[in-house]
Protein backbone atom coordinates (compact mmCIF):
# COMPACT_ATOMS: atom_id res chain seq x y z
CA UNK A 1 0.00 0.00 0.00
CA UNK A 2 1.17 3.51 -0.84
CA UNK A 3 0.56 6.48 1.44
CA UNK A 4 -0.24 10.14 0.80
CA UNK A 5 -0.18 13.03 3.26
CA UNK A 6 -2.16 15.97 1.91
CA UNK A 7 -0.48 19.01 3.42
CA UNK A 8 -1.80 21.73 1.15
CA UNK A 9 -4.10 24.66 1.64
CA UNK A 10 -3.37 28.19 2.75
CA UNK A 11 -4.27 27.78 6.43
CA UNK A 12 -6.30 30.98 6.44
CA UNK A 13 -8.03 30.08 9.72
CA UNK A 14 -4.62 30.20 11.38
CA UNK A 15 -3.53 33.57 10.02
CA UNK A 16 -1.35 35.45 10.81
CA UNK A 17 0.61 32.45 12.15
CA UNK A 18 0.45 30.81 8.71
CA UNK A 19 0.89 33.92 6.58
CA UNK A 20 4.34 32.79 5.42
CA UNK A 21 4.49 29.14 6.52
CA UNK A 22 2.50 25.96 6.00
CA UNK A 23 0.28 25.13 8.95
CA UNK A 24 1.57 21.55 8.84
CA UNK A 25 5.01 22.87 9.84
CA UNK A 26 3.65 24.55 12.96
CA UNK A 27 4.48 22.72 16.19
CA UNK A 28 1.93 20.61 18.02
CA UNK A 29 3.60 20.76 21.43
CA UNK A 30 7.13 19.55 20.65
CA UNK A 31 7.15 18.43 17.03
CA UNK A 32 5.90 19.65 13.64
CA UNK A 33 2.25 18.97 12.91
CA UNK A 34 3.06 16.77 9.91
CA UNK A 35 4.82 14.25 12.16
CA UNK A 36 1.44 13.13 13.49
CA UNK A 37 -0.24 12.06 10.22
CA UNK A 38 3.06 10.70 8.94
CA UNK A 39 3.32 8.55 12.07
CA UNK A 40 -0.13 7.07 11.39
CA UNK A 41 0.93 5.90 7.93
CA UNK A 42 4.13 4.43 9.35
CA UNK A 43 2.14 2.60 12.04
CA UNK A 44 0.02 1.19 9.22
CA UNK A 45 3.15 -0.43 7.85
CA UNK A 46 3.37 1.93 4.87
CA UNK A 47 6.90 2.75 3.77
CA UNK A 48 6.36 4.56 0.44
CA UNK A 49 4.77 7.91 1.17
CA UNK A 50 4.15 11.03 -0.86
CA UNK A 51 3.67 14.45 0.67
CA UNK A 52 1.54 16.85 -1.37
CA UNK A 53 1.75 20.55 -0.64
CA UNK A 54 1.61 23.97 -2.28
CA UNK A 55 4.27 25.38 -4.63
CA UNK A 56 5.38 27.90 -2.00
CA UNK A 57 5.62 25.37 0.84
CA UNK A 58 6.87 22.13 -0.69
CA UNK A 59 10.55 22.94 -0.05
CA UNK A 60 9.83 23.31 3.67
CA UNK A 61 8.84 19.65 3.81
CA UNK A 62 11.77 18.43 1.76
CA UNK A 63 14.13 20.34 4.06
CA UNK A 64 12.44 18.96 7.16
CA UNK A 65 12.04 15.32 6.17
CA UNK A 66 14.40 14.62 3.28
CA UNK A 67 14.01 11.36 1.41
CA UNK A 68 13.01 9.36 4.50
CA UNK A 69 15.97 6.99 4.27
CA UNK A 70 17.07 7.67 7.85
CA UNK A 71 13.67 6.33 8.94
CA UNK A 72 13.78 3.31 6.64
CA UNK A 73 11.04 4.71 4.42
CA UNK A 74 10.83 6.43 1.04
CA UNK A 75 9.43 9.94 0.86
CA UNK A 76 8.67 11.83 -2.32
CA UNK A 77 6.94 15.12 -2.90
CA UNK A 78 4.34 16.56 -5.26
CA UNK A 79 2.74 19.95 -5.75
CA UNK A 80 -0.95 20.79 -5.67
CA UNK A 81 -0.97 24.08 -7.56
CA UNK A 82 -4.16 25.31 -5.92
CA UNK A 83 -6.63 23.73 -3.49
CA UNK A 84 -9.20 21.84 -5.56
CA UNK A 85 -10.51 19.42 -2.98
CA UNK A 86 -9.19 16.47 -1.03
CA UNK A 87 -9.92 13.99 -3.81
CA UNK A 88 -7.54 15.80 -6.16
CA UNK A 89 -4.76 14.15 -4.15
CA UNK A 90 -5.45 10.93 -6.09
CA UNK A 91 -4.89 12.72 -9.39
CA UNK A 92 -1.77 14.54 -8.22
CA UNK A 93 -0.46 11.30 -6.70
CA UNK A 94 -1.58 8.86 -9.42
CA UNK A 95 1.99 8.01 -10.53
CA UNK A 96 2.99 7.47 -6.91
CA UNK A 97 0.01 5.17 -6.30
CA UNK A 98 0.63 3.15 -9.44
CA UNK A 99 -1.15 -0.21 -9.24
CA UNK A 100 -1.30 -0.34 -5.45
CA UNK A 101 -3.98 0.42 -2.88
CA UNK A 102 -3.65 3.76 -1.16
CA UNK A 103 -3.99 5.40 2.24
CA UNK A 104 -4.71 9.12 2.37
CA UNK A 105 -4.42 11.22 5.51
CA UNK A 106 -4.90 14.95 5.97
CA UNK A 107 -1.85 16.80 7.22
CA UNK A 108 -3.66 18.50 10.11
CA UNK A 109 -5.25 15.39 11.63
CA UNK A 110 -3.98 13.67 14.78
CA UNK A 111 -5.01 10.15 15.79
CA UNK A 112 -4.04 8.52 19.05
CA UNK A 113 -5.22 5.71 21.27
CA UNK A 114 -4.44 2.26 22.65
CA UNK A 115 -4.50 -0.40 19.98
CA UNK A 116 -4.25 2.06 17.09
CA UNK A 117 -1.51 0.00 15.43
CA UNK A 118 -3.61 -3.19 15.53
CA UNK A 119 -6.72 -1.35 14.34
CA UNK A 120 -4.90 0.11 11.35
CA UNK A 121 -3.37 -3.21 10.35
CA UNK A 122 -6.73 -5.03 10.64
CA UNK A 123 -8.40 -2.38 8.51
CA UNK A 124 -5.81 -2.78 5.76
CA UNK A 125 -6.01 -6.57 5.88
CA UNK A 126 -9.80 -6.41 5.40
CA UNK A 127 -9.71 -3.74 2.70
CA UNK A 128 -12.30 -4.38 -0.03
CA UNK A 129 -13.17 -1.06 -1.60
CA UNK A 130 -12.65 1.66 0.99
CA UNK A 131 -12.37 1.94 4.75
CA UNK A 132 -13.44 5.16 6.47
CA UNK A 133 -12.93 6.07 10.11
CA UNK A 134 -15.78 7.67 12.04
CA UNK A 135 -15.66 9.66 15.24
CA UNK A 136 -18.54 11.04 17.35
CA UNK A 137 -18.59 14.85 17.50
CA UNK A 138 -20.97 17.47 18.90
CA UNK A 139 -20.82 19.65 15.76
CA UNK A 140 -21.22 17.20 12.84
CA UNK A 141 -22.40 19.95 10.49
CA UNK A 142 -18.72 20.95 10.12
CA UNK A 143 -17.76 17.56 8.64
CA UNK A 144 -18.68 14.82 6.27
CA UNK A 145 -21.24 12.79 8.24
CA UNK A 146 -21.72 9.02 8.17
CA UNK A 147 -25.06 7.33 8.74
CA UNK A 148 -25.15 3.77 10.04
CA UNK A 149 -27.94 1.28 10.65
CA UNK A 150 -28.75 -0.58 13.87
CA UNK A 151 -26.04 -3.15 13.07
CA UNK A 152 -23.45 -0.45 12.50
CA UNK A 153 -23.36 -0.81 8.71
CA UNK A 154 -22.65 2.31 6.69
CA UNK A 155 -25.82 3.47 4.93
CA UNK A 156 -25.24 7.11 3.97
CA UNK A 157 -22.70 9.92 3.61
CA UNK A 158 -23.41 13.64 3.58
CA UNK A 159 -20.95 16.51 3.26
CA UNK A 160 -21.43 19.22 5.92
CA UNK A 161 -25.20 18.79 6.24
CA UNK A 162 -27.28 21.62 7.70
CA UNK A 163 -29.40 19.04 9.53
CA UNK A 164 -27.11 16.06 10.31
CA UNK A 165 -28.78 12.68 10.68
CA UNK A 166 -26.04 11.44 12.98
CA UNK A 167 -23.20 12.77 15.09
CA UNK A 168 -20.60 10.55 13.44
CA UNK A 169 -18.00 12.57 11.54
CA UNK A 170 -15.83 11.02 8.84
CA UNK A 171 -12.24 11.71 9.85
CA UNK A 172 -9.32 12.65 7.63
CA UNK A 173 -7.95 9.12 7.25
CA UNK A 174 -9.02 6.92 4.34
CA UNK A 175 -7.95 3.53 2.94
CA UNK A 176 -8.77 2.66 -0.68
CA UNK A 177 -8.19 -0.01 -3.27
CA UNK A 178 -6.55 1.00 -6.54
CA UNK A 179 -9.85 1.94 -8.20
CA UNK A 180 -9.84 5.21 -6.28
CA UNK A 181 -7.72 6.91 -8.96
CA UNK A 182 -10.24 6.18 -11.73
CA UNK A 183 -13.15 7.10 -9.47
CA UNK A 184 -11.55 10.45 -8.63
CA UNK A 185 -10.97 11.13 -12.33
CA UNK A 186 -14.65 10.65 -13.08
CA UNK A 187 -16.45 12.51 -10.30
CA UNK A 188 -17.89 15.91 -11.08
CA UNK A 189 -16.37 18.94 -9.40
CA UNK A 190 -18.52 20.75 -6.84
CA UNK A 191 -19.93 24.21 -7.64
CA UNK A 192 -16.72 25.58 -6.10
CA UNK A 193 -14.66 23.55 -8.58
CA UNK A 194 -13.44 21.06 -5.98
CA UNK A 195 -13.26 17.27 -6.09
CA UNK A 196 -15.05 16.26 -2.91
CA UNK A 197 -13.83 13.21 -1.03
CA UNK A 198 -17.42 12.47 0.01
CA UNK A 199 -18.34 12.00 -3.67
CA UNK A 200 -15.55 9.43 -4.01
CA UNK A 201 -16.76 7.64 -0.89
CA UNK A 202 -20.34 7.61 -2.15
CA UNK A 203 -19.27 5.69 -5.25
CA UNK A 204 -17.88 2.96 -3.02
CA UNK A 205 -21.01 3.11 -0.86
CA UNK A 206 -23.25 2.63 -3.91
CA UNK A 207 -21.12 -0.37 -4.88
CA UNK A 208 -21.56 -1.83 -1.40
CA UNK A 209 -17.81 -1.59 -0.81
CA UNK A 210 -17.55 1.23 1.72
CA UNK A 211 -16.84 0.22 5.30
CA UNK A 212 -16.75 2.36 8.42
CA UNK A 213 -14.62 1.83 11.52
CA UNK A 214 -16.10 3.70 14.48
CA UNK A 215 -13.18 4.90 16.59
CA UNK A 216 -15.42 5.89 19.49
CA UNK A 217 -14.29 5.66 23.09
CA UNK A 218 -10.61 5.22 23.85
CA UNK A 219 -9.35 7.07 20.79
CA UNK A 220 -8.59 10.71 20.19
CA UNK A 221 -9.10 12.41 16.85
CA UNK A 222 -7.92 16.00 16.79
CA UNK A 223 -8.28 18.46 13.91
CA UNK A 224 -5.71 21.24 14.31
CA UNK A 225 -7.15 23.74 11.84
CA UNK A 226 -7.94 26.57 14.28
CA UNK A 227 -5.95 28.36 16.97
CA UNK A 228 -8.06 26.82 19.75
CA UNK A 229 -7.85 23.28 18.36
CA UNK A 230 -4.11 23.65 17.81
CA UNK A 231 -3.63 24.70 21.43
CA UNK A 232 -5.83 21.87 22.72
CA UNK A 233 -3.93 19.32 20.64
CA UNK A 234 -0.63 20.58 22.07
CA UNK A 235 -2.00 20.32 25.61
CA UNK A 236 -3.25 16.79 24.93
CA UNK A 237 0.18 15.66 23.72
CA UNK A 238 1.97 17.45 26.57
CA UNK A 239 -0.15 15.84 29.29
CA UNK A 240 0.19 12.31 27.91
CA UNK A 241 3.91 12.53 27.26
CA UNK A 242 4.67 13.96 30.69
CA UNK A 243 2.41 11.52 32.55
CA UNK A 244 3.40 8.37 30.67
CA UNK A 245 7.03 9.10 29.82
CA UNK A 246 6.53 8.13 26.17
CA UNK A 247 6.54 10.18 22.98
CA UNK A 248 3.58 10.52 20.64
CA UNK A 249 4.40 10.55 16.92
CA UNK A 250 8.14 10.18 17.41
CA UNK A 251 9.00 9.12 13.87
CA UNK A 252 12.41 7.69 14.79
CA UNK A 253 10.95 5.53 17.56
CA UNK A 254 8.12 4.33 15.33
CA UNK A 255 10.62 3.44 12.60
CA UNK A 256 12.52 1.36 15.16
CA UNK A 257 9.42 -0.29 16.69
CA UNK A 258 8.12 -1.16 13.21
CA UNK A 259 11.43 -2.74 12.20
CA UNK A 260 12.17 -0.16 9.52
CA UNK A 261 15.52 0.58 11.19
CA UNK A 262 17.63 -1.39 13.66
CA UNK A 263 18.83 -0.49 17.16
CA UNK A 264 22.14 0.89 15.89
CA UNK A 265 20.37 3.26 13.51
CA UNK A 266 17.99 4.32 16.25
CA UNK A 267 20.91 5.05 18.55
CA UNK A 268 22.64 7.11 15.86
CA UNK A 269 19.47 9.17 15.36
CA UNK A 270 19.30 9.72 19.10
CA UNK A 271 22.94 10.74 19.20
CA UNK A 272 22.23 13.37 16.58
CA UNK A 273 19.59 14.78 18.93
CA UNK A 274 21.61 14.25 22.10
CA UNK A 275 21.07 17.85 23.20
CA UNK A 276 17.35 17.11 23.57
CA UNK A 277 15.26 14.92 25.86
CA UNK A 278 14.02 13.06 22.80
CA UNK A 279 17.56 12.18 21.73
CA UNK A 280 18.26 10.72 25.18
CA UNK A 281 14.97 8.82 24.99
CA UNK A 282 15.90 7.30 21.60
CA UNK A 283 19.32 6.19 22.83
CA UNK A 284 17.73 4.59 25.89
CA UNK A 285 15.19 2.55 23.95
CA UNK A 286 17.89 1.51 21.48
CA UNK A 287 20.14 0.50 24.36
CA UNK A 288 17.42 -1.65 25.95
CA UNK A 289 16.98 -3.50 22.68
CA UNK A 290 20.69 -4.15 22.17
CA UNK A 291 21.78 -7.79 22.71
Amino acid sequence: MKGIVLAGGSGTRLHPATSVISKQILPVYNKPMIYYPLSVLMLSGIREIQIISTPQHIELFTSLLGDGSSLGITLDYAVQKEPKGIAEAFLVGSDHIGDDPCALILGDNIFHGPGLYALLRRSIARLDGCVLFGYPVKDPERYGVAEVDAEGRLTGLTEKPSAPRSGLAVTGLYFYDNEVVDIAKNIRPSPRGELEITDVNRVYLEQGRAHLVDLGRGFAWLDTGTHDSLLKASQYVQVLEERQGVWIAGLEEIAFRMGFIDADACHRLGLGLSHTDYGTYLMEIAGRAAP
Side-chain angles (χ1 to χ4, degrees):
M1 175 175 275
K2 301 289 179 60
I4 292 177
V5 181
L6 182 58
S10 55
T12 52
R13 290 185 297 166
L14 287 168
H15 279 182
T18 52
S19 296
V20 295
I21 194 171
S22 168
K23 67 178 178 181
Q24 288 88 4
I25 298 290
L26 294 177
V28 177
Y29 184 44
N30 54 5
K31 58 191 75 70
M33 186 187 296
I34 197 168
Y35 275 41
Y36 296 87
L38 188 54
S39 73
V40 172
L41 296 184
M42 292 173 65
L43 284 170
S44 301
I46 299 170
R47 300 180 70 168
E48 296 180 63
I49 299 170
Q50 182 174 77
I51 295 171
I52 298 176
S53 189
T54 64
Q56 61 269 36
H57 293 149
I58 196 69
E59 290 186 6
L60 296 173
F61 295 103
T62 60
S63 297
L64 174 67
L65 298 166
D67 63 4
S69 58
S70 65
L71 300 173
I73 63 177
T74 301
L75 294 176
D76 66 68
Y77 302 87
V79 169
Q80 185 183 35
K81 294 182 180 179
E82 55 184 299
K84 291 186 177 180
I86 295 171
E88 193 192 23
F90 303 115
L91 308 188
V92 175
S94 59
D95 289 342
H96 167 72
I97 296 169
D99 297 325
D100 294 309
C102 174
L104 171 66
I105 188 167
L106 304 187
D108 61 358
N109 275 216
I110 296 174
F111 296 84
H112 183 256
L116 180 61
Y117 162 80
L119 177 69
L120 294 169
R121 299 307 294 267
R122 285 198 306 270
S123 299
I124 290 174
R126 297 172 181 173
L127 180 62
D128 175 23
C130 79
V131 175
L132 312 177
F133 296 83
Y135 195 84
V137 296
K138 65 179 182 181
D139 51 354
E141 64 278 359
R142 293 180 53 219
Y143 306 96
V145 173
E147 300 167 40
V148 295
D149 62 18
E151 283 73 41
R153 290 188 294 260
L154 185 63
T155 60
L157 292 165
T158 311
E159 181 65 22
K160 297 180 181 177
S162 56
R165 296 183 180 179
S166 87
L168 197 60
V170 178
T171 70
L173 174 63
Y174 319 85
F175 293 159
Y176 297 98
D177 64 15
N178 190 253
E179 289 185 33
V180 70
V181 176
D182 287 333
I183 290 172
K185 288 178 180 177
N186 289 295
I187 62 172
R188 291 183 179 180
S190 71
R192 296 183 299 174
E194 296 183 354
L195 299 181
E196 299 283 1
I197 195 70
T198 299
D199 291 336
V200 171
N201 296 335
R202 281 202 198 97
V203 173
Y204 282 102
L205 179 62
E206 291 166 2
Q207 295 175 351
R209 298 193 305 126
H211 310 276
L212 182 82
V213 175
D214 187 350
L215 294 176
R217 286 181 178 269
F219 287 93
W221 170 54
L222 305 171
D223 176 349
T224 55
T226 67
H227 293 290
D228 285 347
S229 60
L230 181 60
L231 175 61
K232 290 175 182 176
S234 294
Q235 292 170 332
Y236 174 86
V237 174
Q238 178 191 29
V239 169
L240 285 183
E241 289 191 352
E242 289 187 351
R243 288 283 181 91
Q244 299 180 357
V246 298
W247 284 67
I248 296 172
L251 300 184
E252 295 83 357
E253 180 184 8
I254 291 171
F256 173 55
R257 302 289 190 194
M258 294 294 296
F260 299 168
I261 60 175
D262 60 19
D264 288 341
C266 183
H267 188 274
R268 286 194 300 272
L269 291 171
L271 192 61
L273 298 167
S274 59
H275 56 291
T276 68
D277 291 341
Y278 184 54
T280 302
Y281 174 79
L282 288 175
M283 289 187 283
E284 288 176 352
I285 63 174
R288 290 197 294 267

